[in-house]
Amino acid sequence: MRFGPFLFLFCLFGCIQTGCDSATPGTPPNEEELITTVRLVLAGNDGTDLDVVVFRDLDGAGGAAPVRNGLILDAGVTYTGRIGFTDEANGEDITAEVGAEDEAHQVFYTPLGDLANWLTVTPTDTDENNLPVGLLFQIAVAPGVSGNGQLNVVLSHFDEFPKDGTTRSNETDVDITIDVEIR
Amino acid sequence: MMPSFRISLFLAFALLPGLFQPGAAQTLSGRVTDDHRNPLPGANVVLVDQQTGVITDADGRFSLHPPVPGTYTVAISFIGFETLTRSVDLSRGNQTLNVQLYPDVLILEEVEVETRAQENRLTLSSQSLTILSVKELDLLRGRTLGEMLENVAGVTTLNTGPTISKPVIRGLHSDRIVIVNAGLAQEGQQWGGEHAPEIDPFSPHQIQVLRGAAGVEYGVGAIGGVIRVEPRPLRKTPGFGGQFTTTAYTNSRQGAGALLLEGGSPRLRGLGWRVQGSLRQAGNADAPDYGISNTGFREATGSVAVGYHSDHRGGEVYYSHFGTELGIFTGAHIGNVSDLERAIARGRPQTDPDFTYTIDNPKQRVLHDLISAKSFYTLAPEYRLEAQYGFQHNVRKEFDAHRPFGSDAPLDRPAFALQLQTHSVDLKLRHGPHGNHYGVVGLSGMRQTNVNATSGLLIPNFRAYTFGLFARETVLLGRWTVDVGARFDLRRMTAYPLINRQFETRQHRYANASGVVGLLYQLTDHWSLGVHLGTAWRPPGVNELYSDGVHHGTAQYERGDATLAAERNRSIDATLRHQSRYADVEIGVYYNWFDGYISLFPNPEPTLTIRGAFPTFSYVQSDAALWGFDGVAAYQVLGFLRVGAAFSVVRGENLTANVPLFQMPADQMRLSAQVDLPAGTQRRDTFFKTEVRLVARQDHAPAGVDYAEPPPGYALLGFTAGTGWLMGGTLVQFNLSVHNAFNTAYRDYLSRFRYFTDDPGRSVVFRLQFPFGQY
């Protein structure tokens, strides 16, 4: 009777069962580098200074909800500002990397709703193609207005999508909305 | 021999036109015996091109009287034996043809396929079953497996661009159907909608599509159906031969070539081998108005098989390798929902690239290695033991478009890499035919591990064991065929999800039974009705349990649920078949009810991330039902003109939430007309075919779940012309096809890229097949 081959197969299966395998994971992987924190530093021409972490999501997508802080701006003031992107989970300053690859990045600032009538944001830096970058900017607040609104901040990455200075790419690295109150 | 099968043989012959009138000019007579020189009564001797024939008498003798002198191709066949084809020259008087048939040990489970000239499809199965023969497959070479199955009634495809297509059987796909490749259930991250089956499209010699719960022989997951891909059987007789195939496509400038070599040992009868390899390369595909960037692919596959078959025992060892690199359309690589919405509003891709073969990131790189060793042993005249061991190693790497922030990691470091290893053992004991019944009992076991490489974690590492036990019996009672089967499966899985940045250990255990009852009634000589009742189940997939992140391809945040239970279904389907001299019809109707159907359901609140707000979906279980009808019909209008139609209608409903199921195929229909030219001296099998494919808009889609309305319906026109040419004894086949002849711009609802780009436009395909030796 030729049961030999079948016995062999059973044994093979059994041996595999008891053997060690690599399914049991080792140490958890390092958190993938990603932007966790967006910070705005503004200096008004009336002497006021603002340093606000407008968005912080330390554990990345999911998990605990992100923490958002709004901005309080004075009417009639022009602020000179810069934006900072950080990976606080890994202690990395992403702003410097965006600056180094500035021809492939642009920060877009879009006031939404009524804020569009009260506030204008103008980037003040350019890349080697003379297209705006947006890491440095100016916010001009119209005089005599007050109220609440939202500012949308987008960091666009331009890989295959061409950068033309006005159009967002289809690869967004940051897309947040900041609550803005004007007094 | 086997008296019970003479009933079906007799029925088969009832369908054939009557025998030629006696008193004709020449006679072809002879005797058919088996390999031990015993006469074979009831064997079919058929004149292939005329589709007429006789059966041998009790002494194995036959006599044919074709009225016209000339050369005839004769096929001699008998169930359980290899069909023999001979060319006979009757231009100069009577001829004698004595043949010996050799047992064909490759009995395809309960489905026994008779000669291609006289498939008695009426009694093939109580279920909806379609068999694509090698001739039909040869007209589709160069396409992916999913695309080859598009023409089967009830089957549609889920596409992720022109390079990735997955078969959808009556609305079900991925983890709900089983694809069996050379006897082994394909295991390769099939849970992913953008993970195509890793099967060499040049290798299938026959594809069987079983629609509906086919639980008992195929294990967990065969809820929607089974697709069996069979390579060419190994030679059992001495000789050497092979076939070279090449195809070229204008759209995407795809070139492909495949070579098959096979041989049988002259010293040890029954020992055979086969070596097969193929290469395919394509560049960017073109939609009618623009190029679709980064949609090229490269594929290299190869396989080796060696086996020995005698009538009492045999064994075969098979190794295959599949490797592919696929570009993913760059316009589909979006950051967040507003990117997706702007892409949809734009209506077309932002860039219109020049043609290139270069594959950039984002891309997939997949390797699939398979080894199987199988053997069979005949214990007693009607008992056969079969054993198979299989090992599969699947490595899937996906490369992101740009490197993560601040890293100097080279772009050829994958965003994730999954390694799936599967060991499986199957044991079956087949018995029969005893009188009027036959059946099988079996045992199967599987061990599977999934390991993530150091970068990225798409689905957790896991280790799973599955054990199954089944039995199936078929009884032939006059005009009835009754089929009963039952199966019990146990699955134990240990998963290691990353929770709060720590690996946890989670155990899952599932046990369930499935069963089928099939009744087939032969209503008349030309009509049969099959009714099939089945229940099947599947355990939740690792992605359904542990997803927790943004699925970039769809701009949604997906959340799994580790408490999901197994999904169970109960289905009923009926198939009506008609087969006559002029017509061939098969219509199926089905209702498939699910208890615990797992699907993504929208959450009321989006998930806020640094990239924006993502609509959030959770895997939930609900009661659901899928129902529909499909069918295929062919009618021989005139001797040389054959018209055909096929249609498919699928409806799916989430019964708990009272909304339609997402991503159900739209209603579709195919109409065709084929003209066959009579054979010439060297020219054979010349035909011209035209085909229209009509797809309706999907009007039964759930509201508020999709970012874009389902695309409009469309019609595509195609042509194929082909011929065989006899060159020095071999029949070389050429064919030329045009797909989408009018270069229609369209988007298919089941295409994941329909938000961004049209589907490919016109393509002209050239195929050449060159057999040589004793192929």
Side-chain angles (χ1 to χ4, degrees):
Chain A
M1 279 299 220
R2 294 267 224 94
F3 278 122
F6 309 126
L7 276 175
F8 170 73
L9 291 171
F10 269 120
C11 288
L12 189 65
F13 188 62
C15 295
I16 292 156
Q17 281 233 7
T18 55
C20 62
D21 66 56
S22 48
T24 319
T27 51
N30 286 330
E31 199 59 58
E32 267 298 310
E33 284 196 28
L34 76 168
I35 301 174
T36 61
T37 311
V38 182
R39 185 172 166 209
L40 288 181
V41 179
L42 305 172
N45 61 0
D46 63 349
T48 52
D49 284 324
L50 290 167
D51 185 347
V52 186
V53 171
V54 290
F55 191 99
R56 180 184 263 139
D57 188 9
L58 289 173
D59 60 1
V67 175
R68 296 167 58 231
N69 293 307
L71 286 176
I72 301 172
L73 303 176
D74 297 323
V77 179
T78 301
Y79 296 86
T80 308
R82 60 184 167 85
I83 190 165
F85 300 108
T86 334
D87 176 357
E88 289 189 287
N90 289 318
E92 297 280 336
D93 175 19
I94 308 293
T95 325
E97 283 149 20
V98 172
E101 290 171 17
D102 56 7
E103 68 285 358
H105 289 95
Q106 185 170 346
V107 187
F108 295 91
Y109 301 88
T110 314
L112 304 171
D114 284 334
L115 205 66
N117 301 324
W118 305 334
L119 197 147
T120 320
V121 186
T122 324
T124 55
D125 52 359
T126 53
D127 63 20
E128 43 264 20
N129 302 322
N130 271 323
L131 292 173
V133 181
L135 291 174
L136 303 171
F137 54 90
Q138 278 209 324
I139 302 180
V141 186
V145 294
S146 68
N148 290 301
Q150 290 197 315
L151 178 69
N152 174 243
V153 178
V154 166
L155 171 62
S156 259
H157 182 102
F158 295 91
D159 216 353
E160 205 193 61
F161 204 103
K163 178 177 176 182
D164 65 2
T166 50
T167 323
R168 289 171 58 170
S169 74
N170 59 358
E171 285 187 74
T172 302
D173 287 328
V174 173
D175 185 344
I176 59 173
T177 46
I178 307 166
D179 295 324
V180 179
E181 188 195 330
I182 303 198
R183 292 192 185 151
Chain B
M1 265 273 129
M2 296 168 203
S4 53
F5 290 101
R6 298 184 74 176
I7 301 167
S8 44
L9 279 176
F10 178 76
L11 286 170
F13 270 91
L15 307 174
L16 290 177
L19 302 175
F20 284 120
Q21 297 306 309
Q26 41 280 320
T27 302
L28 172 67
S29 59
R31 192 160 181 250
V32 181
T33 59
D34 68 11
D35 53 331
H36 296 296
R37 306 257 151 88
N38 298 318
L40 275 180
N44 305 312
V45 181
V46 173
L47 295 173
V48 174
D49 297 313
Q50 289 68 30
Q51 296 227 340
T52 64
V54 293
I55 49 173
T56 54
D57 64 15
D59 200 28
R61 291 184 197 281
F62 68 91
S63 171
L64 278 167
H65 311 276
V68 176
T71 309
Y72 290 90
T73 310
V74 187
I76 305 105
S77 65
F78 191 84
I79 291 176
F81 288 82
E82 261 198 352
T83 300
L84 216 59
T85 312
R86 287 275 182 277
S87 198
V88 180
D89 182 1
L90 289 172
S91 47
R92 283 182 222 122
N94 302 343
Q95 291 285 337
T96 308
L97 181 68
N98 294 324
V99 293
Q100 263 189 322
L101 294 186
Y102 288 87
D104 176 2
V105 292
L106 190 74
I107 295 175
L108 304 163
E109 264 90 46
E110 71 281 13
V111 172
E112 290 173 339
V113 181
E114 302 181 25
T115 68
R116 64 183 173 84
Q118 36 168 137
E119 281 170 10
N120 185 4
R121 285 186 283 277
L122 293 185
T123 53
L124 226 39
S125 170
S126 59
Q127 274 194 277
S128 288
L129 168 68
T130 298
I131 299 179
L132 291 178
S133 68
V134 63
K135 257 195 122 159
E136 293 168 285
L137 294 173
D138 284 339
L139 292 175
L140 300 165
R141 298 289 177 202
R143 314 185 78 185
T144 61
L145 181 70
E147 290 171 321
M148 285 169 110
L149 296 168
E150 258 176 357
N151 290 335
V152 174
V155 179
T156 44
T157 54
L158 180 68
N159 299 310
T160 305
T163 53
I164 299 171
S165 55
K166 303 192 68 162
V168 178
I169 302 177
R170 291 182 167 171
L172 300 173
H173 59 89
S174 297
D175 270 347
R176 295 192 180 97
I177 64 175
V178 173
I179 298 183
V180 179
N181 185 16
L184 215 56
Q186 183 87 352
E187 291 291 334
Q189 313 291 7
Q190 55 265 27
W191 52 268
E194 61 268 37
H195 301 166
E198 304 89 343
I199 294 179
D200 172 9
F202 282 95
S203 68
H205 189 75
Q206 188 188 86
I207 300 182
Q208 296 176 20
V209 180
L210 205 61
R211 295 180 284 282
V216 296
E217 290 204 53
Y218 302 100
V220 300
I223 277 191
V226 176
I227 296 172
R228 287 187 54 103
V229 175
E230 295 289 339
R232 187 173 161 82
L234 287 177
R235 279 189 76 98
K236 294 178 213 51
T237 51
F240 171 76
Q243 177 169 273
F244 171 69
T245 309
T246 179
T247 64
Y249 284 63
T250 54
N251 193 326
S252 79
R253 297 189 212 173
Q254 185 196 139
L259 180 65
L260 182 150
L261 296 170
E262 60 176 19
S265 164
R267 255 163 279 146
L268 179 57
R269 183 178 212 96
L271 180 68
W273 57 270
R274 181 186 71 235
V275 174
Q276 192 166 18
S278 72
L279 293 167
R280 291 201 307 150
Q281 179 168 26
N284 289 347
D286 281 314
D289 300 320
Y290 42 79
I292 310 173
S293 80
N294 204 39
T295 48
F297 67 86
R298 269 197 283 274
E299 195 175 280
T301 67
S303 74
V304 179
V306 176
Y308 170 74
H309 298 86
S310 74
D311 21 335
H312 300 296
R313 57 175 177 262
E316 186 178 308
V317 176
Y318 175 73
Y319 166 69
S320 86
H321 171 82
F322 175 96
T324 186
E325 185 170 307
L326 305 160
I328 304 289
F329 171 51
T330 37
H333 187 93
I334 45 167
N336 69 6
V337 176
S338 73
D339 289 344
L340 176 57
E341 286 169 345
R342 278 173 303 114
I344 293 168
R346 197 163 39 233
R348 53 178 290 156
Q350 182 71 16
T351 55
D352 180 9
D354 290 330
F355 178 81
T356 176
Y357 279 109
T358 309
I359 298 170
D360 281 323
N361 289 1
K363 66 184 180 197
Q364 293 179 0
R365 213 179 262 160
V366 188
L367 291 173
H368 191 91
D369 287 285
L370 183 158
I371 297 175
S372 94
K374 52 187 175 189
S375 64
F376 74 91
Y377 187 73
T378 307
L379 295 173
E382 273 137 21
Y383 286 91
R384 193 168 110 150
L385 190 61
E386 294 170 8
Q388 177 170 38
Y389 164 72
F391 172 67
Q392 296 178 69
H393 180 84
N394 180 288
V395 178
R396 171 171 288 272
K397 295 183 181 169
E398 295 194 12
F399 296 81
D400 218 343
H402 54 273
R403 60 176 74 88
F405 265 111
S407 72
D408 292 321
L411 271 173
D412 61 4
R413 199 186 83 166
F416 69 84
L418 291 170
Q419 187 183 315
L420 189 72
Q421 282 195 354
T422 312
H423 296 270
S424 58
V425 172
D426 287 277
L427 282 167
K428 291 180 192 175
L429 178 65
R430 290 189 192 282
H431 64 95
H434 313 283
N436 65 347
H437 66 100
Y438 60 91
V440 59
V441 297
L443 222 84
S444 65
M446 178 181 87
R447 177 185 192 265
Q448 187 170 70
T449 58
N450 179 58
V451 177
N452 281 273
T454 49
S455 62
L457 193 83
L458 192 68
I459 52 166
N461 285 11
F462 68 83
R463 188 182 309 111
Y465 294 95
T466 311
F467 176 74
L469 202 63
F470 70 91
R472 185 169 194 161
E473 194 71 19
T474 305
V475 184
L476 303 162
L477 299 162
R479 286 182 169 268
W480 290 87
T481 306
V482 182
D483 212 341
V484 180
R487 186 185 178 106
F488 173 77
D489 284 287
L490 179 66
R491 186 179 169 94
R492 230 186 63 200
M493 176 170 78
T494 307
Y496 301 95
L498 189 66
I499 296 175
N500 295 326
R501 304 186 72 179
Q502 281 294 110
F503 283 119
E504 303 282 335
T505 305
R506 293 276 185 275
Q507 305 277 3
H508 296 272
R509 218 182 127 100
Y510 309 95
N512 254 306
S514 54
V516 295
V517 173
L519 296 162
L520 180 66
Y521 183 60
Q522 183 93 32
L523 295 160
T524 70
D525 288 347
H526 301 288
W527 291 87
S528 76
L529 177 67
V531 177
H532 191 259
L533 297 141
T535 170
W537 69 283
R538 89 176 168 96
V542 159
N543 62 312
E544 291 163 335
L545 295 168
Y546 294 114
S547 277
D548 190 16
V550 175
H551 186 168
H552 279 290
T554 56
Q556 44 191 52
Y557 192 95
E558 292 175 3
R559 204 169 272 140
D561 179 355
T563 65
L564 291 173
E567 205 177 75
R568 294 199 55 99
N569 89 318
R570 283 184 259 291
S571 63
I572 176 167
D573 69 82
T575 312
L576 180 67
R577 291 183 181 93
H578 169 74
Q579 187 171 12
S580 72
R581 187 176 179 178
Y582 299 107
D584 223 312
V585 179
E586 181 178 308
I587 296 179
V589 102
Y590 56 93
Y591 187 87
N592 203 347
W593 182 76
F594 283 83
D595 171 11
Y597 182 84
I598 299 170
S599 61
L600 285 170
F601 204 75
N603 285 21
E605 289 301 313
T607 302
L608 194 62
T609 74
I610 192 108
R611 282 203 163 95
F614 286 89
T616 304
F617 289 74
S618 298
Y619 280 104
V620 298
Q621 296 200 268
S622 47
D623 286 345
L626 275 90
W627 67 95
F629 51 96
D630 46 55
V632 66
Y635 186 66
Q636 193 83 32
V637 175
L638 298 166
F640 59 88
L641 175 65
R642 190 174 174 86
V643 296
F647 64 93
S648 163
V649 170
V650 181
R651 295 281 179 272
E653 184 92 0
N654 179 329
L655 300 172
T656 311
N658 252 315
V659 291
L661 287 177
F662 184 54
Q663 262 189 352
M664 288 287 110
D667 300 341
Q668 43 198 275
M669 178 152 82
R670 244 186 330 116
L671 300 167
S672 63
Q674 177 163 327
V675 169
D676 289 295
L677 295 178
T681 37
Q682 278 181 289
R683 200 178 39 77
R684 297 285 154 84
D685 301 337
T686 310
F687 72 94
F688 179 77
K689 182 172 178 178
T690 184
E691 191 173 272
V692 173
R693 186 157 160 238
L694 302 157
V695 179
R697 195 182 63 168
Q698 177 53 281
D699 285 326
H700 302 269
V705 168
D706 209 345
Y707 299 106
E709 287 296 300
Y714 59 91
L716 297 177
L717 180 68
F719 300 105
T720 310
T723 185
W725 196 265
L726 211 55
M727 291 208 278
T730 53
L731 192 64
V732 180
Q733 305 263 8
F734 321 88
N735 64 69
L736 197 72
S737 299
V738 182
H739 299 153
N740 192 358
F742 290 152
N743 207 22
T744 309
Y746 72 98
R747 294 184 189 200
D748 189 74
Y749 176 65
L750 288 187
S751 166
R752 292 159 145 263
F753 288 168
R754 63 181 162 89
Y755 305 110
F756 315 109
T757 175
D758 287 341
D759 278 34
R762 182 190 308 127
S763 189
V764 179
V765 188
F766 172 74
R767 290 183 188 91
L768 171 68
Q769 207 159 286
F770 188 89
F772 52 87
Q774 292 158 309
Y775 184 78

